[in-house]
Each structure stands twice: as C-alpha cells, then as structure tokens.
Amino acid sequence: MGTEQAGAGPEYAGRGPGAGLEREPQLEGTERQPQPEGAESQSQPGAAESQSQPGAAEPQSQPEATEPDSQPGAAEPQPRPHPEPEPGPKLEGTERQPQLNTAKPRPEPDGPQPRPKTTDPQQTGRPTSPPPRPLPTALLTCAMAFSMLQLFLLGALGPRLVDELDISPTVLGLTTTIGFGTAAVLSPAGGRIVDRVGPRRALAALLLLSAVALALIGAAPGAGFLLAAVALGGLPQALANPATNKAILASVEPARRGAVTGMKQSGVQLGAFAAGLPLAALAGWLGWRGAVWTAAGAAVVTAAWTLRTLPPDAPARTGAPPASLVPRGTIAWLAGFSLLLGCGIASVNTYLALYGAHRLDLGPGAAGALVAVLGVSGVVGRVAWSRAATPGRAEWLPGLLAAGAVGAALLLAGAAALSALVWPGAVAVGVFAVSANAVSMVLVMQRAAPGRAGQDSALVSAGFFAGFALGPPLFGLLASAGHYGWGWTLVTTEFAAAGAVALTWAVRERGRGAGDTGSKARGPGHG
C-alpha cells in the first residue's frame, strides 16, 4: 500500500487513506468499480467518466491519461497502460493475470487458417473434392485412342495405301518412323508444357491437332505430303501420356489410379480396333480417304466434349525450375525398356495386316481384322494387368510380360508355316507386349515426384516413341525383300532384350530392400 500511494503523484495528495483505497480498483479491474463515486468529485471529469463504465476503464484510460501530461502529477499514471499488455512485477499474483492470459490466445485461431495451402492440387496432386469418375475416364480413353489413331489407320489401310498412292512397304514404314520420331523429340517439351498449362488445355490441343493431322492424311496426294501430315500427328502423341497421367493424379484417389490408368491406356488399343474393323469397313464403302476424314471429324467432337466436361485448369505456372531432359534412376530404366518394347510393337502394328495379305493370302478385310483382334486383346490386357500392378508386384510385371511377348512373336513367325497361328499370335501380342506399356505408365505414376508427373511420363514416352520410330524401318527392309521370317526374328530379339532390361531393374530394386522406400519418397530421379 505504501508503494501504491507513493506512486500516485500529487493528483491524490491530501486524500488520506481513502485515496489509496480508491487507487487499487483501477489495477484490479471490476471488483471495486462501485467506489469511483467518491472519486468523481476529486478527479478530473474525463477520468471519472471513463472509470465509471464497467469494462471500458482500461481502453479509455489510455488515451485520456495523455491529457494530464502537462500537469506535474500526471507523469506517474502513464506507465499504467503500458504494463497491461506486458504485466510488470506489480501485477504478479493479482486478478488481472487471467484477463491478460485470455487475451493472448487471440492470435491462435488465426494461425491454422493458412492450412488450405497444403491442399493445393499443384502440390499434392489431389483436389479437395474429386470430380465424377465415369465420364472423365471415358474421355481420357478416347483421347488416347485419337492420339495414336493415325498409326493404326496407316497399318490397317496399308494395302490400300500401297496400291493407290504407289508407295513401297519401306515408305509405309517411314510413316511410322516420321510420326513417332517427331513424338520422341517433342515429348520432353510436351511434358513440360502439360505441367505448366494443365490437363484440360493440353487434352483439347491434343484432339484438335489429331483432327488436323488426320484430315491432311486423308488429303495426301502422294508420299511426300503423307509423311508431312504424319509428322504433324507426332505432336498429339507427345502430349497424350503426360496430359492423361496428370489428369488422373489430379482427380483420382491412389487406390483407383491403377484401374483408371489401365482403362485410359486401353484407349490406344481401342483406336487399333476402330482402325481395323469399323474404319476399315467404312473404307470399303467411302474409300480410305473418307474413312480417315470421318475419324478427323470425330476428333473435333471429342475436343468439344473435353472443354465441356473437364474443370478449368489452374493458372499457368511460371518461374518453375527447369526440368531435366535426361531420364535418371527408375525413369531411365523404364525409358530403356520402353524403347525396346516400342521397336517390336510398332513393327507388329505396321506390318501385321500387310503380312496377312501378302504372305498368308488373307483378304483386305481379314487382314484389317488382325489389327482389330490385336486391339481388343490389348484393351483386355491393359485393364487387367494395370489393376494387378500394385506396389511390390508392379516391378516384376514388365519383365514377365516381355517374356510373354517373345512367345507371341514366335507364333507370328510360325504362321508362315501354319497360317492359323497368326490369330493367337495377334492376341498374345495384345495381352503381353501392348499391356507392358500400360504397366510402365502405372510405375511412372507410382514413382513420380510432386509436380513432375507430366515430365516423367514424357521421358518414358519418349523412349517408347523412339522405339516406334526405329523398329518399322528395320522390319520394312526385311519385308521389302520378302524376308518376313527374319523380320519376326528381329521382333523376338527386341522383346527379349526389353525383358532382360526389365528383369535386371526389378532384381536391382528388390536388392536395395528397405533403401528403396526412401528412394520412392524422394522421387524417381533417385532410383
């Protein structure tokens, strides 16, 4: 009490003991608020009004305490507002401390508010609310079909093109080389573009470019124009896997990604079926040009469907660190496997119908049906094997499927002696060789680093497309000389080499044991 009265200043001088008692309620808060009635007659009017209002004594005493600064006794009341946010020793053990403690937690509710930043789809690859499942899956399947439809059309319509445009089997093989060579070169840049602009814009561009390329192929007067149109068709191929994989990562929960990936990858074989059966049949009615133009119109309709169905993309990302154009770790192994696998698959796709027509004496319709059979079996195989590609099992599937592809190539070679073997051979190529590419895409998505799904998919696709560019010309040289048997031997060797690469990588991954988990967490580049 003595210290409080001494610090009261001349303003309280002459009041006696009552003045000291009136000074304490201002520090304790609301307990002695009825007593300021006696203080009103002795204190300044402004201070009395502020103290007579319950709960308003503290905020109003701060500005009015500055008014008596010119008076000699007003120097002491100024420290009173300052200790309120930071209580001094005088307030320890007083009843004011609970009020100060209750005021401190006020910033705490503001802290958790920035948490939605951690759910940014660009960072986590998952939206806050998943979109409808069936329609986007069907759309992605169609997009994959159109991205490579020109390949299957050139294969299924190969006998008509060779006769009408007067091109050799070697030139027919060059169409595949030009198209997939362009796709292989542009794939790394395409993956980078998809990561920046988003899947909706990329898929719409993919479908429109496919429509233009197909329209130009249908208008080709000769080999030169045909090769230029096929080169343009390499652009949608470069965008296909990065755009569809990124769309899956952004809209499908991890438990369903394998099944959805298998469905959308089966779109490639859906394109093979469409080229080998309905479009080949339409070519017999409207001519091969009319069939190709019909496919171009369907691509435009699908592009409109894309813009109407998929949600808008996030704003284009700028300032992202430059992505590596050289595959490393797991992505490098998968790219090498895809290179060898693509060599064999492209040769089968390009020359299977021609092989059936020229060597097995099948009619144009039956020869085109071989491509359709390959497409249907590929759809079934991709869906089934992608569902089975769970972590821990997916690493072994590429090598096992490549081994099955070796048996498929041997069946095609044996068809020269027993033509009926060509049908189970076509089925086996779809079930094993074609399905292995879908499993490799599942592995890419399982190992993709955050924000790099498009880029990693593009690097693996670049290896696959490079195989498509290299395989058919080599097979074409042998086919032009009538050595289909050597051609199928080459395909067998390519599939066997792909299996050796895949099994070596799987053994290496198994040998790393527990260290593999940390590698996955850091991303595919650390494999």
Side-chain angles (χ1 to χ4, degrees), residues 144-411:
M144 291 298 297
F146 281 109
S147 70
M148 298 181 66
L149 183 60
Q150 66 168 7
L151 164 71
F152 300 110
L153 276 175
L154 292 173
L157 302 177
R160 301 176 189 272
L161 293 173
V162 168
D163 296 338
E164 183 171 335
L165 297 181
D166 193 20
I167 60 177
S168 66
T170 302
V171 172
L172 183 63
L174 282 177
T175 61
T176 304
T177 300
I178 294 294
F180 285 97
T182 303
V185 172
L186 296 180
S187 282
R192 178 72 170 164
I193 291 171
V194 171
D195 281 335
R196 292 186 61 182
V197 305
R200 181 175 181 265
R201 298 186 188 100
L203 286 172
L206 178 161
L207 291 162
L208 292 176
L209 288 170
S210 297
V212 174
L214 288 169
L216 293 177
I217 289 174
F225 195 96
L226 179 65
L227 293 177
V230 170
L232 178 63
L235 294 175
Q237 296 169 27
L239 297 173
N241 278 315
T244 53
N245 286 354
K246 196 169 186 69
I248 290 174
L249 286 174
S251 60
V252 180
E253 64 272 14
R256 298 186 64 250
R257 286 176 185 169
V260 175
T261 301
M263 286 298 299
K264 71 97 176 175
Q265 289 294 129
S266 70
V268 176
Q269 303 315 118
L270 178 64
F273 174 79
L277 197 59
L279 289 177
L282 188 63
W285 179 39
L286 298 178
W288 71 269
R289 296 182 190 274
V292 175
W293 286 334
T294 300
V300 173
V301 173
T302 308
W305 182 21
T306 299
L307 295 174
R308 185 179 180 85
T309 302
L310 294 184
D313 293 315
R317 296 169 54 194
T318 58
S324 173
L325 300 180
V326 179
R328 296 189 298 271
T330 296
I331 300 303
W333 284 95
L334 291 175
F337 167 76
S338 299
L339 170 67
L340 296 167
L341 186 72
C343 286
I345 294 176
S347 298
V348 176
N349 288 337
T350 304
Y351 290 103
L352 181 59
L354 201 63
Y355 174 62
H358 289 181
R359 177 56 62 89
L360 305 181
D361 296 328
L362 298 178
L370 282 174
V371 180
V373 167
L374 188 152
V376 172
S377 62
V379 169
V380 175
R382 287 190 167 194
V383 172
W385 289 116
S386 295
R387 287 179 179 271
T390 56
R393 180 189 297 173
E395 291 80 3
W396 297 98
L397 286 181
L400 297 177
L401 293 177
V406 170
L410 293 175
L411 287 175

Side-chain angles (χ1 to χ4, degrees), residues 422-473:
V422 72
W423 299 100
V427 171
V429 169
V431 170
F432 296 108
V434 173
S435 301
N437 175 249
V439 172
S440 68
M441 286 293 107
V442 174
L443 281 167
V444 170
M445 296 173 67
Q446 290 175 355
R447 304 296 183 94
R452 279 185 54 91
Q455 184 71 19
D456 291 343
S457 300
L459 292 174
V460 175
S461 297
F464 191 63
F465 295 148
F468 268 73
L470 296 174

Side-chain angles (χ1 to χ4, degrees), residues 88-186:
K90 297 179 181 181
L91 299 179
E92 294 180 359
T94 64
E95 298 179 3
R96 286 293 306 259
Q97 289 182 358
Q99 296 181 1
L100 294 173
N101 292 336
T102 56
K104 288 179 181 178
R106 291 179 183 175
E108 294 180 1
D110 298 334
Q113 289 182 359
R115 290 178 184 173
K117 293 182 179 179
T118 60
T119 59
D120 185 1
Q122 296 291 342
Q123 299 179 10
T124 64
R126 294 189 300 271
T128 55
S129 58
R133 300 288 186 258
L135 193 58
T137 301
L139 179 59
L140 296 179
T141 303
C142 291
M144 291 298 297
F146 281 109
S147 70
M148 298 181 66
L149 183 60
Q150 66 168 7
L151 164 71
F152 300 110
L153 276 175
L154 292 173
L157 302 177
R160 301 176 189 272
L161 293 173
V162 168
D163 296 338
E164 183 171 335
L165 297 181
D166 193 20
I167 60 177
S168 66
T170 302
V171 172
L172 183 63
L174 282 177
T175 61
T176 304
T177 300
I178 294 294
F180 285 97
T182 303
V185 172
L186 296 180

